[in-house]
Structures are given as structure tokens and as C-alpha cells.
Coordinates of all heavy atoms in Angstrom, one line a residue:
P1 N 7.4 2.5 3.5 CA 6.0 2.1 3.4 C 5.8 0.8 4.1 O 6.6 -0.1 4.2 CB 5.7 2.0 1.9 CG 7.0 1.9 1.2 CD 8.1 2.4 2.2
E2 N 4.6 0.6 4.6 CA 4.2 -0.7 5.1 C 3.6 -1.5 4.0 O 2.6 -1.0 3.4 CB 3.1 -0.5 6.3 CG 2.7 -1.8 6.8 CD 1.6 -1.6 7.9 OE1 1.4 -0.5 8.4 OE2 0.9 -2.7 8.2
I3 N 4.1 -2.7 3.7 CA 3.7 -3.5 2.6 C 3.4 -4.9 3.2 O 4.3 -5.5 3.8 CB 4.7 -3.6 1.5 CG1 5.1 -2.2 1.0 CG2 4.2 -4.5 0.4 CD1 6.3 -2.2 0.1
V4 N 2.1 -5.3 3.1 CA 1.7 -6.6 3.7 C 1.1 -7.4 2.5 O 0.2 -7.0 1.8 CB 0.6 -6.4 4.8 CG1 0.2 -7.7 5.3 CG2 1.2 -5.5 5.9
M5 N 1.6 -8.6 2.3 CA 1.1 -9.5 1.3 C 0.4 -10.7 1.9 O 0.9 -11.3 2.9 CB 2.3 -10.1 0.4 CG 1.8 -11.0 -0.7 SD 3.0 -11.9 -1.6 CE 3.6 -13.1 -0.4
E6 N -0.7 -11.1 1.3 CA -1.4 -12.3 1.7 C -1.5 -13.1 0.4 O -1.8 -12.6 -0.7 CB -2.9 -12.0 2.1 CG -3.0 -11.3 3.4 CD -4.5 -11.0 3.7 OE1 -5.3 -12.0 3.5 OE2 -4.8 -9.9 4.1
R7 N -1.2 -14.4 0.5 CA -1.3 -15.3 -0.7 C -2.0 -16.5 -0.3 O -1.8 -17.1 0.7 CB 0.1 -15.6 -1.2 CG 0.2 -16.4 -2.5 CD 1.6 -16.6 -3.0 NE 1.5 -17.2 -4.3 CZ 2.5 -17.1 -5.2 NH1 3.6 -16.4 -4.9 NH2 2.4 -17.6 -6.4
D8 N -3.0 -16.8 -1.1 CA -3.9 -18.0 -0.8 C -4.2 -18.6 -2.2 O -3.8 -18.1 -3.2 CB -5.2 -17.6 -0.1 CG -5.8 -18.7 0.7 OD1 -5.4 -19.9 0.5 OD2 -6.6 -18.4 1.5
I9 N -5.0 -19.7 -2.2 CA -5.3 -20.3 -3.4 C -6.1 -19.3 -4.3 O -7.1 -18.8 -3.9 CB -6.2 -21.6 -3.2 CG1 -5.4 -22.6 -2.4 CG2 -6.7 -22.2 -4.5 CD1 -6.2 -23.8 -1.9
G10 N -5.5 -19.1 -5.5 CA -6.2 -18.2 -6.5 C -6.1 -16.7 -6.2 O -6.8 -16.0 -6.9
M11 N -5.3 -16.2 -5.2 CA -5.3 -14.8 -5.0 C -4.0 -14.4 -4.3 O -3.4 -15.1 -3.5 CB -6.5 -14.3 -4.2 CG -6.5 -14.6 -2.7 SD -5.5 -13.4 -1.8 CE -6.2 -13.5 -0.2
I12 N -3.6 -13.2 -4.7 CA -2.5 -12.5 -4.0 C -3.0 -11.1 -3.7 O -3.6 -10.4 -4.6 CB -1.2 -12.3 -4.9 CG1 -0.7 -13.7 -5.3 CG2 -0.2 -11.5 -4.2 CD1 0.4 -13.7 -6.3
K13 N -2.9 -10.7 -2.5 CA -3.4 -9.4 -2.0 C -2.2 -8.6 -1.5 O -1.5 -9.2 -0.6 CB -4.5 -9.5 -1.0 CG -5.0 -8.2 -0.5 CD -6.1 -8.4 0.5 CE -6.5 -7.1 1.2 NZ -7.5 -7.4 2.3
V14 N -1.9 -7.4 -1.9 CA -0.8 -6.6 -1.4 C -1.4 -5.3 -0.9 O -1.9 -4.5 -1.7 CB 0.3 -6.4 -2.5 CG1 1.4 -5.4 -2.0 CG2 0.9 -7.7 -2.9
D15 N -1.3 -5.0 0.4 CA -1.8 -3.8 1.0 C -0.6 -2.9 1.2 O 0.4 -3.4 1.8 CB -2.5 -4.1 2.3 CG -3.9 -4.6 2.1 OD1 -4.6 -4.0 1.3 OD2 -4.2 -5.6 2.7
V16 N -0.7 -1.7 0.8 CA 0.4 -0.7 1.0 C -0.1 0.5 1.7 O -1.2 1.0 1.4 CB 1.0 -0.2 -0.4 CG1 2.1 0.8 -0.2 CG2 1.5 -1.4 -1.2
T17 N 0.6 0.9 2.8 CA 0.3 2.2 3.5 C 1.6 3.1 3.3 O 2.7 2.7 3.7 CB 0.0 2.0 4.9 OG1 -1.1 1.1 5.0 CG2 -0.3 3.3 5.6
L18 N 1.4 4.2 2.7 CA 2.5 5.2 2.4 C 2.2 6.5 3.1 O 1.1 7.1 3.0 CB 2.5 5.3 0.9 CG 3.5 6.3 0.3 CD1 4.9 5.7 0.5 CD2 3.3 6.5 -1.2
D19 N 3.2 7.0 3.8 CA 3.2 8.3 4.4 C 3.4 9.3 3.3 O 4.4 9.3 2.6 CB 4.2 8.4 5.5 CG 4.1 9.7 6.2 OD1 4.3 10.8 5.6 OD2 3.9 9.7 7.5
I20 N 2.5 10.3 3.2 CA 2.6 11.3 2.1 C 2.7 12.7 2.7 O 2.4 13.7 2.0 CB 1.4 11.2 1.1 CG1 0.1 11.4 1.8 CG2 1.5 9.9 0.3 CD1 -1.1 11.5 0.8
T21 N 3.1 12.8 4.0 CA 3.2 14.2 4.6 C 4.2 15.1 3.9 O 4.0 16.3 4.0 CB 3.5 14.1 6.1 OG1 4.8 13.3 6.2 CG2 2.4 13.4 6.9
D22 N 5.2 14.5 3.3 CA 6.2 15.4 2.6 C 5.8 15.8 1.2 O 6.5 16.6 0.6 CB 7.6 14.6 2.6 CG 8.2 14.4 3.9 OD1 7.8 15.2 4.9 OD2 9.0 13.5 4.1
L23 N 4.7 15.4 0.7 CA 4.3 15.8 -0.6 C 3.4 17.0 -0.6 O 2.7 17.2 0.4 CB 3.6 14.6 -1.3 CG 4.4 13.3 -1.4 CD1 3.6 12.2 -2.1 CD2 5.6 13.6 -2.3
P24 N 3.5 17.8 -1.6 CA 2.7 19.0 -1.6 C 1.2 18.8 -1.7 O 0.7 17.7 -2.2 CB 3.1 19.8 -2.9 CG 3.8 18.7 -3.7 CD 4.3 17.7 -2.8
E25 N 0.4 19.7 -1.1 CA -1.1 19.6 -1.2 C -1.5 20.0 -2.6 O -0.9 20.8 -3.3 CB -1.7 20.4 -0.1 CG -1.4 20.0 1.3 CD -2.1 20.8 2.3 OE1 -2.7 21.9 2.0 OE2 -2.0 20.5 3.5
G26 N -2.7 19.6 -2.9 CA -3.3 20.0 -4.2 C -3.9 18.9 -5.0 O -3.9 17.7 -4.5
P27 N -4.3 19.2 -6.2 CA -4.9 18.1 -7.1 C -3.8 17.1 -7.6 O -2.7 17.5 -7.9 CB -5.5 18.9 -8.3 CG -4.8 20.3 -8.2 CD -4.3 20.5 -6.9
L28 N -4.2 15.9 -7.6 CA -3.3 14.8 -8.0 C -3.9 14.0 -9.2 O -5.1 13.8 -9.3 CB -3.2 13.8 -6.9 CG -2.8 14.2 -5.5 CD1 -2.7 13.0 -4.5 CD2 -1.4 14.9 -5.6

């Protein structure tokens, strides 16, 4: 997965992009 962190005064942001092509379709 692509994981990008930003850290600044008073905040941490973590953005994740995950490929889910191998997972079955349907309700989650």
C-alpha cells in the first residue's frame, strides 16, 4: 500500500491507498 504521513503542529495525517483488485466483490 501507499502510505503517506504528514505531521505538523497539532496534527498527524496518514493517507493510505490500497489495491483491492484481489478481493471478492460484494457487500462489505
Side-chain angles (χ1 to χ4, degrees):
E2 180 183 346
I3 303 169
V4 177
M5 180 190 73
E6 292 178 43
R7 188 173 187 156
D8 204 345
I9 296 171
M11 76 84 156
I12 298 170
K13 178 180 174 186
V14 177
D15 283 311
V16 177
T17 303
L18 178 67
D19 184 296
I20 57 171
T21 55
D22 293 337
L23 298 179
E25 294 181 353
L28 306 178

